[in-house]
Amino acid sequence: MKNIKIKTFVLSFFALVLFTGLMSCKKDEDESPSKSSHKVVFKLEASAGSNISTVVYGYDSQITTATSLSGTTWTSQEITVPAGTISINIAANATGANANSTLKAQIYVDGELKREGTSSGAILSASASLGL
């Protein structure tokens, strides 16, 4: 009789653990890649007197690096990212005119600003990432 109670307790315990595990699982939001292509433009804007020097931008593993830049603005050519793209990224460096200088890194998708990253100070490093 005592052996049956122990077996019942053990089975009940495992059933409870299994039930709790199944009930705690929830359906995650669909994080699948984009189902259509998009037109993407990357932009940099630095405050007056600053100097943009380097930018790395692209999507997934299609990365482009531009060095030896100068000036306070920079805009990429329009890029068509294919369906299935997971991530779009930009990172840039600039030298500010003073401690109040700023740098904005922007991602435009289909003509609309979707993400912006900023930096401030004399040494500027801004980045932005977007999951499609």
Side-chain angles (χ1 to χ4, degrees):
M1 186 74 153
K2 194 174 192 181
N3 196 16
I4 293 174
K5 286 183 180 181
I6 292 174
K7 285 182 182 179
T8 303
F9 174 76
V10 170
L11 287 174
S12 297
F13 176 76
F14 284 116
L16 179 63
V17 169
L18 179 63
F19 178 75
T20 303
L22 291 174
M23 294 309 289
S24 67
C25 292
K26 65 177 183 172
K27 185 175 180 179
D28 292 333
E29 288 185 27
D30 183 21
E31 293 187 18
S32 60
S34 174
K35 293 179 176 42
S36 62
S37 65
H38 295 279
K39 303 288 186 186
V40 176
V41 174
F42 300 94
K43 292 185 179 184
L44 298 174
E45 294 178 8
S47 57
S50 299
N51 193 43
I52 298 168
S53 57
T54 306
V55 61
V56 178
Y57 62 98
Y59 62 94
D60 294 345
S61 63
Q62 303 299 313
I63 304 300
T64 302
T65 302
T67 58
S68 302
L69 303 174
S70 63
T72 57
T73 62
W74 174 87
T75 302
S76 73
Q77 294 180 331
E78 184 177 79
I79 299 170
T80 300
V81 298
T85 297
I86 297 170
S87 178
I88 300 172
N89 304 288
I90 183 172
N93 293 321
T95 303
N98 54 49
N100 296 320
S101 298
T102 60
L103 175 64
K104 292 181 190 176
Q106 302 172 321
I107 300 173
Y108 287 82
V109 178
D110 299 327
E112 183 179 335
L113 177 62
K114 291 291 188 174
R115 191 75 75 217
E116 180 177 84
T118 60
S119 175
S120 61
I123 304 299
L124 302 164
S125 181
S127 63
S129 296
L130 176 66
L132 286 180

